[in-house]
Amino acid sequence: MSRISPYGTWSSPITAAEVAAAGGGPQWLDVVGDEVWWAEARPGEQGRVALVRAVPGGTEDVLPAPWNVRNRLHEYGGRPWTVVEGVVVFTHWADQRVYAVSETGVVPLTPEPAEPQGVRYGDLRAGRPGEVFAVRERAVGPRPADIERELVAIALDGGPERVLAASHHFLTVAKLSPDGRHAAWFGWDHPAMPWDGTELCVAAVAEDGSFGPHRVLAGGADVSVCQVEWETPETLLALLDPDGWWNLHRVGLDGALTNLAPVERELGGPLWKAGSRWFVPLGGGRHAVLTSGRLAVLDEADGSVTSMAEELTAWSSTGFAVFGDGVVGVAGGPVREAAVVEVSLDGAVRDLTPQPELPAAYLPVPEERVFTTADGEAVPVVLYRPANPDFAAPEGELPPLLVHVHGGPTGQYLPMLDLELAYFSSRGIAVAAVNYGGSTGFGRAYRERLREQWGVVDVADCVAVAEALVAAGLADGDRLAVRGGSAGGFTAAASLTTKKTYRAGTVMYPVLDLAGWTGAGGDTHDFESRYLDGLVGPLPATRQRYVERSPLANSASLAGPVLFQQGLEDRICPPEQADRFVAGLAGRGIPYAYQRFPGEQHGFRRAATIVSALEAELSFYGQVLGFETPGVARLELSK
C-alpha cells in the first residue's frame, strides 16, 4: 500500500549518484570495418571522454587514460576521432593537438601551440592518401572572438600541415568526391548562425592536392545547409531548407537542386557540433534519416518518409551510421536510456550496449502535449508527472511544478527517459520541458518566432505552459519554479526578473548581461559572439533592447529565491556574469545560493559535480516551496 506523504517529500531509489553515472554516455559513433566504435563520456573519470569499440560480450577501450577524445572547435566541439588507413587519429582535450596511435604508442601529428590550447582541431575526416582533413582554428588575439579558421590536411607521418581553403569565417571539414577530383564543404560568416544561412562550396582538387577557387552550389543568406555527403563524382546529397524545412536534396556540380522527398518535417537540425549527421544513404534510392529525433527511411521512388523503430524517440546526430543491412546509432526512448543500438531495415532493435536495470515503476512516462498561448501560438511540451509506487499525495494536493527550459535557445527537448528529471518526478515534483518559440524540429517559421524576441517569446511561452498546467489541475499554482542551463539559464533568469509566475528558480551557467556577453569585446566565444544579432537585434541600433532584457539589469525585480550553478572554466558563459549578479543579491533579503565548480566547463561532466548540483537543487526547492527533502544535505541559503 502506498504511503500518504506530501509531494516533494517522497523518497526514491533514483539517486543523484545514479543520475551522474548516466550523465555521460556514447557519442561520435562510427563504423570501422565491421566494428562499431564511439566516444564515451565518463563522469566517474573526471569527465574524460574515452574511445571504445564494441566487442563480443561488451566493449573495449581503444585508448587508456589519460587520453581525452574531445576538442574545442567552435567551443562545442567537432567530430574528435577517425581511422585513416588503419591508423586511429584523435584530438586530445588537454592540449587540443591531433594524435595518432602507432605501433610504438601515441604520437602527436600537430605541433605544440605557443599558447596553451591556442590552436584547436576538429571535424576529423580521412583525406588524400597519407592525410587526415580537419578544421583548424587559431587564436590570433587576446579576445575570445579573435579566431581564424582554415581547412587543413594533416600528414600521418607528422609532416607539415597543408592549408586547403578558408572560404568563410566558420567551416566544416572538406570531403573528397569518390574520384578525388573535387572537395565539398559548407561555411558561414558573422552574424549568421549555421541554422540561419550557410553556403555549400565545391572546389577542384589538383594533382598535388591543392584546392582551386571554390564555387557556391547551394545555400545562402536565408537557406541553411546542415550536412553534405558525396553521392557520385558529379552529385552530392545535402540537407537544406529553401522551403522552410530541412529536407534531403540532390545537388549537381552544375548547381541543379532536387528535393528527394518534399515534406513538412525536419530531416536535419542545428549544427552545434561540426560533423553531426542526420542522414546516411542505404543504397537503391533509400536513405535513413533522423526527423526530430526519430528514425525514418526516405524512399526516392515515391517520395515517402516512413518512421521505424518508433520506441526510439531520441536519436543523436553525433552517433549515426550504416551498419550491415541497417543502421547503428545512439538512441533512447521514453523508457530507455540513450545507448548504442542497431536497427535493421525491418525495424528490429538490438542493443550493443546493455540497458541498465532501472526501477521502471519510478520512471515517469513522457507525455507529448501542445498548449496554446494567448495570441494563438501552439507550444509543444514534454510533461513528466510524478511517479512513485511507494507514495501517494494527500487527497486534494497538487504537485509542485518545475518548468524546464532547454538550452540553445536553438535546440529541442525530445520525449525520452531523462534520469535528471526523473530524480525530481519520482520525489513528487512534476516537470514540464517546453519547446518554446525558437526551438528546432518544427520548421524555420517556428524557429524564427524568436528572431529579435529572445527574452520575450521564450519567457511568455514558458509562462503560458505553467499557467495552462495549473488551470488543468496538474500543478500547484503557488509552487511553480523554473530551471535551465546556458540559454535556458537566461530564460529562467529573465522569467524571474520580469514575471511573478514563479516562486523560485535554478539558473545554471547562464547569460545574464546581454551586451556584456556578445560582440568582439564581449565575454563569450567567437561562435556565438554575434548570435544575439538575430536573437535580440543588431548593435548599436538596438542597444536599449539589450539593457531592457538583461536579467542583470533587472535584478532588483527578482521575484523570489534563486540558486545559481556555474563551472569556473566555462568559456561560453563565463562565471563573471553569474558572479556579478550574485554580488548584487547580498543583503537584499532574498534567499539565494551560488555553487561554483572548479574544473567544470559549459555543462557539468564530473560525477561529484552532478551529485552536488542535483542534491542542492532538490534541497533548494524543498526550502522555498515548503516541503521536506529526506536523504539530501540541507543547502545553506544566504540573504
Side-chain angles (χ1 to χ4, degrees):
M1 178 178 291
S2 298
R3 174 183 168 189
I4 303 300
S5 186
Y7 285 116
T9 65
W10 305 348
S11 57
S12 168
I14 301 174
T15 65
E18 285 197 28
V19 177
Q27 56 189 267
W28 297 123
L29 174 146
D30 215 334
V31 174
V32 179
D34 59 357
E35 296 180 336
V36 181
W37 292 32
W38 63 89
E40 183 175 274
R42 294 180 174 173
E45 297 183 28
Q46 301 297 304
R48 181 176 84 93
V49 178
L51 182 60
V52 303
R53 62 184 175 190
V55 297
T59 63
E60 175 182 274
D61 281 14
V62 176
L63 292 165
W67 299 111
N68 191 349
V69 185
R70 186 174 158 220
N71 58 66
R72 284 181 51 194
L73 180 66
H74 301 166
E75 288 300 344
Y76 288 99
R79 189 167 289 273
W81 70 272
T82 189
V83 176
V84 182
E85 300 170 20
V87 177
V88 179
V89 182
F90 67 97
T91 56
H92 179 46
W93 174 259
D95 57 13
Q96 297 294 306
R97 298 167 73 185
V98 178
Y99 288 81
V101 181
S102 71
E103 294 180 357
T104 58
V106 178
V107 297
L109 298 183
T110 57
E112 185 173 356
E115 296 292 330
Q117 299 194 347
V119 181
R120 284 95 67 171
Y121 302 83
D123 203 4
L124 304 185
R125 185 180 178 89
R128 285 166 56 86
E131 293 181 330
V132 59
F133 285 178
V135 180
R136 180 180 71 188
E137 63 178 22
R138 297 177 296 154
V140 293
R143 300 174 302 178
D146 291 337
I147 301 292
E148 289 184 353
R149 295 177 188 83
E150 301 104 348
L151 302 179
V152 297
I154 301 167
L156 293 180
D157 62 6
E161 298 167 27
R162 292 192 302 118
V163 175
L164 302 172
S167 60
H168 296 74
H169 189 60
F170 298 98
L171 302 155
T172 62
V173 74
K175 298 178 179 180
L176 291 174
S177 60
D179 62 3
R181 297 178 62 187
H182 291 89
W185 67 92
F186 59 92
W188 65 98
D189 293 308
H190 282 318
M193 297 299 288
W195 42 86
D196 295 327
T198 54
E199 293 185 328
L200 171 56
C201 303
V202 66
V205 179
E207 289 188 9
D208 64 359
S210 61
F211 287 10
H214 74 273
R215 295 182 291 122
V216 175
L217 293 185
D222 57 357
V223 176
S224 167
V225 183
C226 61
Q227 183 186 346
V228 62
E229 307 291 344
W230 284 96
E231 181 184 37
T232 72
E234 301 295 327
T235 60
L236 300 111
L237 297 172
L239 289 169
L240 59 157
D241 67 345
D243 301 314
W245 300 84
W246 278 304
N247 280 188
L248 186 59
H249 294 71
R250 178 170 288 114
V251 186
L253 287 182
D254 59 357
L257 191 68
T258 303
N259 190 335
L260 302 183
V263 290
E264 291 190 351
R265 295 170 67 178
E266 296 283 41
L267 309 187
L271 191 76
W272 284 101
K273 297 183 177 183
S276 295
R277 296 177 187 149
W278 291 268
F279 80 89
V280 291
L282 298 171
R286 304 177 79 200
H287 311 271
V289 296
L290 301 183
T291 169
S292 295
R294 290 170 164 87
L295 178 65
V297 173
L298 183 155
D299 192 334
E300 293 184 41
D302 58 6
S304 62
V305 179
T306 305
S307 299
M308 60 187 302
E310 295 189 34
E311 68 270 32
L312 299 172
T313 56
W315 285 75
S316 169
S317 61
T318 67
F320 189 41
V322 174
F323 187 60
D325 65 349
V327 297
V328 66
V330 178
V335 295
R336 298 169 56 99
E337 281 197 273
V340 178
V341 297
E342 179 187 357
V343 179
S344 63
L345 292 185
D346 62 5
V349 177
R350 181 171 73 96
D351 289 309
L352 295 187
T353 51
Q355 281 287 316
E357 292 187 11
L358 297 172
Y362 299 84
L363 301 176
V365 177
E367 303 174 25
E368 294 185 82
R369 294 188 167 219
V370 177
F371 293 97
T372 303
T373 66
D375 57 1
E377 294 286 353
V379 179
V381 176
V382 182
L383 177 65
Y384 296 85
R385 298 203 210 188
N388 188 317
D390 301 331
F391 292 91
E395 185 175 354
E397 183 183 356
L398 295 173
L401 172 71
L402 303 182
V403 173
H404 176 77
V405 190
H406 68 67
T410 310
Q412 182 181 6
Y413 190 88
L414 300 172
M416 59 186 179
L417 172 59
D418 186 329
L419 282 188
E420 181 177 296
L421 301 191
Y423 178 81
F424 296 110
S425 63
S426 65
R427 288 168 170 78
I429 304 171
V431 184
V434 183
N435 282 311
Y436 49 87
S439 300
T440 51
F442 312 100
R444 180 178 279 262
Y446 191 79
R447 197 162 74 239
E448 293 191 344
R449 279 190 63 215
L450 206 60
R451 182 162 290 278
E452 298 196 6
Q453 295 297 312
W454 196 34
V456 178
V457 164
D458 50 323
V459 170
D461 284 1
C462 289
V463 166
V465 168
E467 292 176 345
L469 289 169
V470 171
L474 297 176
D476 183 346
D478 292 326
R479 294 193 293 173
L480 304 177
V482 62
R483 73 187 300 267
S486 190
F490 165 80
T491 299
S495 300
L496 290 167
T497 53
T498 60
K499 303 292 182 181
K500 300 300 181 184
T501 304
Y502 307 103
R503 284 277 306 278
T506 299
V507 178
M508 297 170 276
Y509 36 93
V511 180
L512 297 170
D513 173 12
L514 295 177
W517 184 78
T518 193
D523 293 330
T524 196
H525 61 132
D526 186 44
F527 178 66
E528 294 181 273
S529 64
R530 298 290 301 278
Y531 195 7
L532 302 194
D533 282 43
L535 290 176
V536 181
L539 289 172
T542 60
R543 179 168 293 276
Q544 186 57 32
R545 198 181 291 170
Y546 283 69
V547 175
E548 292 169 354
R549 297 186 195 170
S550 289
L552 191 62
N554 297 318
S555 61
S557 301
L558 189 64
V562 62
L563 167 62
F564 282 92
Q565 297 175 329
Q566 178 71 52
L568 297 186
E569 295 181 9
D570 192 339
R571 297 174 186 265
I572 296 170
C573 293
E576 288 79 9
Q577 295 224 338
D579 291 348
R580 296 202 301 271
F581 194 108
V582 171
L585 294 177
R588 287 180 45 196
I590 298 175
Y592 70 93
Y594 186 22
Q595 290 182 293
R596 304 170 84 242
F597 296 110
E600 292 286 7
Q601 295 94 43
H602 197 62
F604 303 143
R605 293 172 172 81
R606 299 182 176 189
T609 301
I610 296 169
V611 170
S612 177
L614 204 53
E615 291 185 345
E617 190 177 355
L618 178 62
S619 174
F620 172 72
Y621 295 138
Q623 292 181 62
V624 300
L625 300 180
F627 52 83
E628 297 297 321
T629 54
V632 301
R634 182 180 177 85
L635 175 69
E636 293 300 321
L637 301 180
S638 303
K639 288 187 178 180

